[in-house]
Amino acid sequence: MTVINENYQKILASKSGAQFFKADLHVHTPASGDAQAKNKYNFKYDIANIPKSKERARELAAKIVDAAIKKGLRLIAITDHNTPSNTHPEDLTNTWYQLIRNAARGKDLCVLPGVEISTDDLHVLVILDPKEDEPAAYMTHRINFLLKDCKFTLDDYGDYRATGMSSLFDVMHYIEELGTECIAIPAHIDGGKKAMLSVYKEPSNVFNKLLNHSNLNAVEVVKETTPSKKKLGGKRGKIVQEYFDKMRDEDRSPLAYIQNSDGHSISEIGKRFSYIKMGEPSFWSLKNALEDPETRIRMPGSFSETTETTRILGIAFRRQGGTWNHVAFNPNLNCIIGKKKTQKSAIIDIIMYGLDRFEGAGNGSGPADEEKDLIKHKYQVNVFIGKNNNTYCYSRKGAGKPETFTLNNGSFTKFAGTPQLELPRKYNHEIIEERFAKKIGLMDFLDRHIFANKKINSLLDRRNTLLGALEAKKFGTNDPKMKKLRKTCKSLYDERKRVLDTSLSLYGKDVFRVKVAKGKWSTGTKKEDFYDKASMTVRVRSRHRSLNTLNTGEKNAIIMVLLMNEDAFGPLIIDEPEQQLDVASIVSILVPRIRKLKTQQQIICVTKDEHIILSGDAEQVIATQSEKDVEVVTGDVMNRDMQHQILEIFEGSRGAMEDKTRKIRSILE
């Protein structure tokens, strides 16, 4: 048990990719004039006693950090009114941002610098890249220069009523000049007089220009229901989110809606917050997350972290006499990548071996070739699986069957019986023409993968048993068993019709249309008379088409989408889902399904296609490193080190990618 316990602890300590962190991107300090009162921070710099003021400021900074951590926050941004958060109005080098960042060192809190700029129209949060390799004073200077460009004076610093001498779009222009190293977020668009939805109550061209600003990918709301419920232009107006989506250019990502505290005191920090999915909290992780809000941004009311589905937490493995290797998996999308012959599929094989889930295992056909190879090298494997609040370990060595252990009071003990888990199956591409050549074959596929439930499975078993007896001529047309067979076929038909719409809705509204035609079971006597038949159309490029009219790439994409049935077999494991698919089918059919499914079911796939990783927004990328052994580096797709790995594997070098981009730039522009 000791080895299993040690391996489990190492899995927990390993990087498992992106996860949701609580973030508050709108935190004030006493640098904001309206945050100094006794009922706020109760702090005002005493110029007559500078040493004492500095000490009090350091103590308050520590309290701000402690309050944020106590609220469960992992990321905050210091955004004071029209100031770089300087501790004293006449001292432009020492800031609350510096004090708070210093107080957070060594703790689980990332602190970002920023400013809340007031304009005549609205307030804008500006959050900047702290550039950890530069002194914090450099950041202060950058904010000072931005405020100077916006025509703020030193007397305006900290005053939320001051608006400088620049228009909203002048301010946005100065923000744009900072380049990609800053984020612009219109603040509290639904709260107060300086709120975007109060200033612009009707649809306006201002929205189109503002919402397509290069640095703007999010807006801050006070009420979580504002995007989906509030209307522009009164009761008969347009829903905010629908209108904003139309205002965004087609090539821009959807707008992110976030909540922040706008906290002006210790108690207010984290009173509102957002969940942001990141590998590790940082400026660039935040910026990238805001560009993909569909999978990376959640407000509290829409956030749920389900543990009800079976998920593989990680694997520990070694050859006989070797050292243990550990790979942690994310609950969502895991992509295994690597250069040629670098043991990519071996990771999947190790999972299937550890769980004894190779095709044919246990049916007398003998071990698969991949399993034989692992047995030959005397692999020892621990597969750690979680469901609800329970954790299990399947431990296997050599040709033997896996033993099962469960975590109790911090230690694994032998599990008596079989855990109620949906264990994974491994999918490779099947030849669509053969699988769907007959309507009976399509019906069989739908039964097993789409309509699958206990009642259908029971009816299929009963029908097939009776058909076997009919073929063996154990009963005739007038036999009671014939009546039972016909009754079973009718019940099966009725159940298929009952679950049809519900089952297909899992793939999106009106994506698939299926018709189930009755077999001749009411009067038939031949075996084929007792099978219902199915036909299917699928929506491709805005219109429904029969499977038979799709090209090979589209057909293969459709079968992969159908196989990705929620909770059918627990974690979904696929070896190169892009095989036999054209790029257009990957992007338009496969990737959207992956993005939707991964929020409800764990996916682990080996892939050679960058679209699945990047457009699919992989939470965990596992890059294999060696041709001889299974050695990996892991990280979120947004992690900059992992992006270098992706660049090298798929493009060869940065120069090669830039050359390709340069040659097709005319198409992109």
Side-chain angles (χ1 to χ4, degrees):
M1 308 300 177
T2 302
V3 171
I4 293 176
N5 290 327
E6 290 176 352
N7 282 334
Y8 180 63
Q9 292 303 317
K10 289 182 178 178
I11 291 295
L12 293 180
S14 300
K15 292 180 179 179
S16 60
Q19 58 181 297
F20 280 106
F21 294 100
K22 290 171 71 172
D24 183 353
L25 305 178
H26 192 167
V27 175
H28 290 271
T29 74
S32 293
D34 56 349
Q36 297 173 359
K38 287 184 178 180
N39 64 338
K40 298 298 183 179
Y41 284 111
N42 190 24
F43 183 98
K44 196 163 185 178
Y45 203 95
D46 185 1
I47 198 166
N49 193 342
I50 293 177
K52 185 177 180 180
S53 293
K54 285 185 175 181
E55 180 60 28
R56 285 190 62 214
R58 282 193 292 270
E59 291 173 356
L60 181 54
K63 289 180 181 179
I64 290 172
V65 169
D66 291 342
I69 293 173
K70 189 175 181 180
K71 293 285 183 71
L73 298 171
R74 290 291 304 275
L75 177 67
I76 64 172
I78 307 303
T79 50
D80 282 304
H81 295 299
N82 310 314
T83 170
S85 75
N86 44 299
T87 52
H88 183 266
E90 296 179 9
D91 184 354
L92 301 184
T93 57
N94 294 302
T95 65
W96 285 99
Y97 161 67
Q98 291 170 279
L99 292 176
I100 295 169
R101 189 178 80 160
N102 290 339
R105 290 193 188 282
K107 299 182 179 181
D108 286 334
L109 183 68
C110 176
V111 183
L112 299 179
V115 60
E116 182 177 9
I117 297 180
S118 305
T119 74
D120 287 330
D121 295 327
L122 50 93
H123 291 187
V124 181
L125 301 177
V126 183
I127 301 170
L128 295 100
D129 178 8
K131 295 191 174 182
E132 296 294 334
D133 58 335
E134 291 183 356
Y138 284 22
M139 184 55 54
T140 305
H141 293 318
R142 278 204 278 169
I143 296 176
N144 277 324
F145 281 121
L146 174 61
L147 293 170
K148 183 181 177 182
D149 286 338
C150 296
K151 308 297 188 298
F152 285 95
T153 68
L154 293 181
D155 291 336
D156 296 329
Y157 275 30
D159 186 354
Y160 72 93
R161 296 163 299 185
T163 57
M165 297 294 290
S166 300
S167 70
L168 169 62
F169 288 106
D170 285 336
V171 170
M172 298 305 292
H173 172 71
Y174 299 136
I175 293 171
E176 187 173 14
E177 287 185 334
L178 293 174
T180 60
E181 298 170 349
C182 77
I183 298 166
I185 303 173
H188 38 69
I189 68 168
D190 54 344
K193 294 181 180 179
K194 291 289 185 178
M196 184 163 68
L197 298 182
S198 295
V199 176
Y200 301 102
K201 297 180 181 179
E202 303 285 338
S204 165
N205 289 333
V206 170
F207 290 115
N208 180 273
K209 188 174 180 181
L210 180 64
L211 297 177
N212 285 300
H213 186 274
S214 60
N215 295 85
L216 194 152
N217 284 301
V219 295
E220 178 190 77
V221 295
V222 176
K223 295 180 180 179
E224 188 168 340
T225 56
T226 291
S228 59
K229 297 289 181 66
K230 190 173 180 64
K231 293 184 177 181
L232 281 167
K235 291 183 178 180
R236 296 185 178 181
K238 300 180 179 179
I239 296 293
V240 167
Q241 185 168 358
E242 293 176 0
Y243 180 68
F244 282 7
D245 286 347
K246 288 182 179 179
M247 289 297 99
R248 292 275 279 186
D249 290 344
E250 288 184 2
D251 61 343
R252 296 293 300 277
S253 62
L255 202 62
Y257 296 88
I258 61 173
Q259 285 187 295
N260 300 306
S261 70
D262 193 8
H264 285 65
S265 68
I266 291 287
S267 62
E268 291 177 352
I269 294 172
K271 72 176 180 181
R272 289 188 298 271
F273 59 88
S274 298
Y275 287 100
I276 300 177
K277 186 180 282 188
M278 302 172 278
E280 287 293 335
S282 70
F283 171 83
W284 286 103
S285 293
L286 169 64
K287 183 176 173 63
N288 287 329
L290 293 176
E291 293 175 357
D292 200 346
E294 181 184 24
T295 63
R296 299 246 169 187
I297 306 296
R298 297 286 184 273
M299 288 190 282
S302 61
F303 176 78
S304 63
E305 203 161 29
T306 179
T307 59
E308 295 176 359
T309 57
T310 301
R311 62 207 181 281
I312 300 172
L313 306 176
I315 55 174
F317 55 93
R318 68 172 180 177
R319 289 188 181 189
Q320 186 180 40
T323 57
W324 284 96
N325 298 282
H326 304 84
V327 178
F329 294 104
N330 191 276
N332 306 123
L333 176 59
N334 302 263
C335 289
I336 303 168
I337 65 173
K339 297 179 180 178
K340 287 186 177 181
K341 300 180 180 179
T342 54
Q343 306 292 321
K344 298 184 290 294
S345 295
I347 295 174
I348 287 179
D349 293 338
I350 287 169
I351 295 172
M352 305 310 288
Y353 164 78
L355 297 174
D356 194 26
R357 294 289 287 177
F358 279 108
E359 286 296 326
N363 66 4
S365 62
D369 290 340
E370 301 93 336
E371 187 176 12
K372 289 178 183 177
D373 190 58
L374 292 166
I375 293 172
K376 174 183 174 183
H377 291 98
K378 298 182 179 179
Y379 264 82
Q380 186 174 356
V381 175
N382 294 160
V383 181
F384 296 95
I385 292 182
K387 183 177 182 180
N388 296 323
N389 295 317
N390 301 313
T391 302
Y392 303 91
C393 175
Y394 284 70
S395 181
R396 185 178 181 187
K397 183 178 181 181
K401 294 292 182 180
E403 294 182 286
T404 311
F405 301 84
T406 184
L407 186 65
N408 287 311
N409 299 319
S411 182
F412 282 90
T413 57
K414 193 72 178 293
F415 186 80
T418 303
Q420 297 300 305
L421 300 171
E422 299 80 25
L423 295 178
R425 286 188 179 179
K426 173 183 173 182
Y427 288 110
N428 298 88
H429 262 286
E430 299 178 46
I431 301 174
I432 308 306
E433 287 76 10
E434 292 182 8
R435 191 65 182 267
F436 286 164
K438 298 180 180 179
K439 291 184 178 181
I440 291 176
L442 175 58
M443 189 76 261
D444 178 66
F445 177 86
L446 294 172
D447 282 335
R448 295 179 184 279
H449 296 285
I450 311 304
F451 305 152
N453 64 33
K454 289 182 179 179
K455 186 172 182 179
I456 281 183
N457 291 337
S458 175
L459 289 168
L460 285 171
D461 290 342
R462 190 188 311 165
R463 181 201 65 182
N464 293 340
T465 299
L466 290 167
L467 278 176
L470 177 64
E471 278 193 296
K473 297 183 179 179
K474 292 184 179 180
F475 63 84
T477 55
N478 297 319
D479 195 293
K481 289 184 179 179
M482 177 62 81
K483 293 182 179 180
K484 188 174 182 181
L485 174 59
R486 287 170 175 161
K487 184 178 179 181
T488 299
C489 289
K490 183 180 185 306
S491 298
L492 184 57
Y493 173 81
D494 291 342
E495 180 65 11
R496 286 164 173 158
K497 297 287 284 186
R498 187 186 72 80
V499 302
L500 180 63
D501 291 339
T502 303
S503 301
L504 294 177
S505 68
L506 297 174
Y507 298 94
K509 186 177 180 181
D510 199 33
V511 174
F512 293 101
R513 293 176 184 171
V514 171
K515 291 183 179 179
V516 179
K518 287 182 181 180
K520 298 178 181 179
W521 33 263
S522 59
T523 57
T525 57
K526 298 178 183 178
K527 180 180 178 180
E528 56 267 26
D529 294 335
F530 295 90
Y531 290 95
D532 294 335
K533 299 175 183 179
S535 59
M536 176 187 289
T537 63
V538 59
R539 191 176 69 236
V540 178
R541 291 185 290 277
S542 302
R543 67 187 183 92
H544 273 267
R545 297 167 60 191
S546 167
L547 283 176
N548 295 329
T549 65
L550 301 180
N551 63 43
T552 302
E554 289 170 336
K555 285 181 181 178
N556 282 300
I558 294 303
I559 188 63
M560 290 311 303
V561 166
L562 288 169
L563 285 172
M564 292 179 180
N565 192 12
E566 295 167 18
D567 301 328
F569 304 108
L572 181 64
I573 297 180
I574 319 173
D575 200 347
E576 297 187 22
E578 70 277 3
Q579 274 189 353
Q580 304 179 46
L581 272 66
D582 54 53
V583 174
S585 299
I586 293 171
V587 173
S588 64
I589 301 173
L590 186 61
V591 167
R593 179 59 183 163
I594 288 175
R595 287 176 63 89
K596 181 179 179 182
L597 182 63
K598 70 172 185 170
T599 63
Q600 297 142 350
Q601 182 179 9
Q602 186 182 45
I603 302 174
I604 301 173
C605 72
V606 173
T607 182
K608 297 177 182 176
D609 185 87
E610 64 267 34
H611 300 92
I612 292 175
I613 303 163
L614 300 175
S615 299
D617 189 34
E619 282 81 2
Q620 174 78 314
V621 181
I622 301 164
T624 54
Q625 305 292 299
S626 170
E627 293 186 14
K628 295 182 179 180
D629 300 305
V630 184
E631 298 175 5
V632 303
V633 295
T634 62
D636 172 29
V637 71
M638 299 298 191
N639 178 279
R640 303 197 90 183
D641 291 336
M642 181 51 67
Q643 288 175 346
H644 286 299
Q645 288 271 339
I646 295 170
L647 180 66
E648 183 179 350
I649 290 169
F650 291 102
E651 300 294 341
S653 67
R654 178 169 180 165
M657 183 176 181
E658 289 174 343
D659 185 51
K660 181 170 74 174
T661 303
R662 185 171 59 253
K663 290 180 178 178
I664 63 171
R665 184 170 294 156
S666 61
I667 301 174
L668 299 175
E669 296 174 351

